[in-house]
Amino acid sequence: MRALITGITGQDGSYLAEFLLEKGYEVIGMVRRSSTESAERIEHIKDKLTFAQADLLDQLSMLRMIEEHRPDEVYNLAAQSFVPTSWAQPVLTGEFDALGVTKMLEAIRQVDTKIKFYQASSSEMFGRVQEVPQTETTPFYPRSPYGVAKVYGHWITVNYRESYGIHACSGILFNHESPRRGLEFVTRKITDGAVRIKLGLADKLALGNLDAKRDWGYAGDYVRAMWLMTQHDPAEDMIIASGETHSVRDFVEASFSHLDLDYKEYVVTDPRFVRPAEVDLLLGNPEKARKVLDWETTVGFNQLVKMMVDADMKRLTPQ
């Protein structure tokens, strides 16, 4: 089997590439020639991967890539994925996260409609949630340009599935973290900041809304669900979540407590990090994925926090 992963240098892409290699797949990673993103997350498996140069903004490059490599499965994980940036760059976010999905689907339609397609949808599509917990039938109400673009990407995937018979599915993934999470994301900012304070490298950690609640899981568990979704027939959209919600404050407290620190002595609120339109509560119901895919999470909230803190401690401690 041959799989193409866009966004292979990101958190999810690196875990998915590892997972598929273990399954015996040939793995192709789409990379942009102009990309300045580090390949650090895939350095240890780089020799086992094939790389294809293309860009989600360039339809012709996508078409040529699909024609040349003829993958059995395409996992579209590439995106402008940092929500705060989507306010600063709303048009670019739409180009990548909405139209980029269309360009990939159109390339598949023109080359081979038997190619299976996975789209990385997001819990941010629910935004101002209309019901708790959120299910596959909960109406979307995005609260950021990122969320809006992801809704487009989600529905265009449904449209190509229904219009052209492509095995196209969207995983509506709730927040998923790991030691490979980017430092700009709040969870990694917390664990990195807590360790820096413990080691005397910093004395404060500035954060935004500590009361926002999220459904957090482990990225390694969630990429397994992506693969299971592409194996399931017929193609269906599913929520992938832990089914538990915790506040940012809970994440902070767990991180600092693991280092025997009292977060109240070090954490300050900075209005610069508060979103123009906040998403207050995300809580997914993963019952469909559990039932249909026999998928379960293996790493709980506290275990995930400790894993991330320990990884940052190892990284920042002088050798």
Side-chain angles (χ1 to χ4, degrees), residues 272-311:
R272 290 179 303 159
F273 300 126
V274 176
R275 297 182 181 187
E278 184 57 85
V279 173
D280 298 312
L281 168 65
L282 292 175
L283 173 61
N285 181 351
E287 193 56 38
K288 181 177 179 181
R290 285 174 179 163
K291 186 176 179 181
V292 174
L293 305 177
D294 195 24
W295 175 83
E296 291 282 355
T297 55
T298 64
V299 177
F301 177 75
N302 288 315
Q303 187 182 351
L304 173 64
V305 174
K306 289 175 182 177
M307 177 196 300
M308 293 175 68
V309 171
D310 290 345

Side-chain angles (χ1 to χ4, degrees), residues 258-274:
H258 187 50
L259 297 169
D260 296 318
L261 295 172
D262 182 353
Y263 80 92
K264 294 173 186 173
E265 296 178 18
Y266 306 102
V267 174
V268 295
T269 301
D270 189 328
R272 290 179 303 159
F273 300 126
V274 176

Side-chain angles (χ1 to χ4, degrees), residues 32-91:
R32 286 183 292 150
R33 182 184 292 274
S34 60
S35 177
T36 55
E37 187 170 1
S38 166
E40 178 187 352
R41 295 183 182 96
I42 55 170
E43 198 63 47
H44 61 296
I45 54 172
K46 211 171 178 180
D47 294 343
K48 300 176 183 176
L49 304 171
T50 302
F51 294 98
Q53 288 191 340
D55 195 312
L56 283 176
L57 304 185
D58 182 1
Q59 176 75 71
L60 189 56
S61 71
M62 308 272 275
L63 187 63
R64 285 174 174 164
M65 176 181 63
I66 297 296
E67 278 183 332
E68 179 182 349
H69 294 282
R70 297 280 177 151
D72 298 291
E73 299 165 7
V74 172
Y75 295 86
N76 186 41
L77 311 185
Q80 191 301 99
S81 60
F82 190 45
V83 175
T85 297
S86 73
W87 275 287
Q89 297 181 301
V91 176

Side-chain angles (χ1 to χ4, degrees), residues 108-260:
I108 289 171
R109 184 184 75 83
Q110 292 192 38
V111 174
D112 184 359
T113 56
K114 293 185 178 66
I115 295 171
K116 294 181 177 181
F117 177 78
Y118 171 87
Q119 166 61 11
S121 286
S122 168
S123 59
E124 288 285 334
M125 300 189 304
F126 293 118
R128 181 183 283 175
V129 298
Q130 302 301 290
E131 62 180 0
V132 179
Q134 292 85 61
T135 71
E136 287 79 7
T137 58
T138 302
F140 299 136
Y141 195 141
R143 296 269 281 170
S144 66
Y146 170 80
V148 172
K150 279 292 185 180
V151 169
Y152 178 104
H154 181 87
W155 280 115
I156 200 69
T157 301
V158 172
N159 188 257
Y160 270 69
R161 177 172 73 223
E162 295 180 350
S163 301
Y164 304 115
I166 296 171
H167 188 290
C169 57
S170 289
I172 307 174
L173 270 59
F174 280 64
N175 295 63
H176 46 289
E177 318 298 322
S178 76
R180 299 181 193 174
R181 189 56 135 159
L183 283 165
E184 70 273 23
F185 290 86
V186 68
T187 49
R188 187 71 192 290
K189 185 178 178 181
I190 292 166
T191 60
D192 175 81
V195 169
R196 287 181 184 277
I197 289 168
K198 181 68 174 179
L199 295 175
L201 302 173
D203 55 10
K204 294 291 178 190
L205 175 60
L207 298 170
N209 180 12
L210 296 181
D211 296 319
K213 292 183 175 180
R214 295 290 183 271
D215 183 327
W216 277 301
Y218 171 52
D221 286 337
Y222 286 41
V223 300
R224 189 173 75 256
M226 297 176 188
W227 178 75
L228 287 169
M229 286 182 66
T230 62
Q231 309 316 301
H232 176 66
D233 201 17
E236 294 182 69
D237 307 323
M238 296 185 203
I239 280 181
I240 308 300
S242 75
E244 297 179 10
T245 190
H246 298 271
S247 66
V248 175
R249 191 185 307 278
D250 292 339
F251 204 103
V252 170
E253 188 166 12
S255 300
F256 278 77
S257 295
H258 187 50
L259 297 169
D260 296 318

